[in-house]
Amino acid sequence: MMKKQSVIALISGLLFGLGLSISQMVDRERVLGFLDVAGKWDATLMFVLGGAVGVTLITFRFILKLKHPLFEQKFYLPSRQDIDLKLILGAVIFGIGWGIGGYCPGPAVTSLVQLSVNPIIFIIAFIIGSLGYEKIMGNE
């Protein structure tokens, strides 16, 4: 029998994937058009970004006032506030990968249901890159 947390995680994942599909974040051409600010820019994903930021700004004020999350004993929030070289390099690599591939991990996984080659190549490269990082940097 599935734990309550697993059911919540499954429902959350399904809602996330549905939201990505409805917002067209799984369409790599739309994403690449959004990233092409110097060319033929497609601003439609700005509404997705604005919606996500708006919901976060409103709801986190209330959620973080709770003693603990619904299904956990405490909140797990990042404690580091410094910006180091690893953070900057990670952001740069993520941005380059997003710009080249038109995917970030969530939309790529969601796009796998289309059985097209682009998200499959992205996921393979993502796995190889993650394993390579772990091998080079160790298990941090």
Side-chain angles (χ1 to χ4, degrees), residues 8 26 28 30 35-36 48 52 85 93 98 102 109 115 121-122 130 133:
I8 297 297
V26 295
R28 72 184 292 266
R30 175 139 344 240
L35 295 173
D36 187 10
V48 176
L85 183 61
I93 292 169
W98 194 32
V109 170
L115 297 176
I121 291 171
F122 177 89
S130 297
Y133 173 83

Side-chain angles (χ1 to χ4, degrees), residues 16-27 30 44-45 48:
F16 181 65
L18 181 64
L20 291 172
S21 297
I22 291 170
S23 67
Q24 299 180 355
M25 287 291 292
V26 295
D27 180 359
R30 175 139 344 240
T44 55
L45 293 182
V48 176

Side-chain angles (χ1 to χ4, degrees), residues 2 4 7 18 65 71 103 125:
M2 290 181 76
K4 190 185 311 185
V7 172
L18 181 64
K65 287 182 182 176
F71 302 110
Y103 293 111

Side-chain angles (χ1 to χ4, degrees), residues 62-80:
F62 299 107
I63 291 170
L64 293 178
K65 287 182 182 176
L66 298 174
K67 290 183 181 178
H68 58 82
L70 294 176
F71 302 110
E72 285 291 337
Q73 297 302 314
K74 68 175 188 169
F75 286 102
Y76 294 94
L77 301 171
S79 58
R80 289 184 58 178

Side-chain angles (χ1 to χ4, degrees), residues 93-115:
I93 292 169
F94 178 87
I96 290 170
W98 194 32
I100 290 171
Y103 293 111
C104 58
V109 170
T110 303
S111 296
L112 288 174
V113 299
Q114 298 170 348
L115 297 176

Side-chain angles (χ1 to χ4, degrees), residues 42-64:
D42 182 351
T44 55
L45 293 182
M46 188 62 75
F47 294 104
V48 176
L49 177 62
V53 170
V55 167
T56 300
L57 285 174
I58 294 168
T59 59
F60 267 46
R61 294 177 190 272
F62 299 107
I63 291 170
L64 293 178

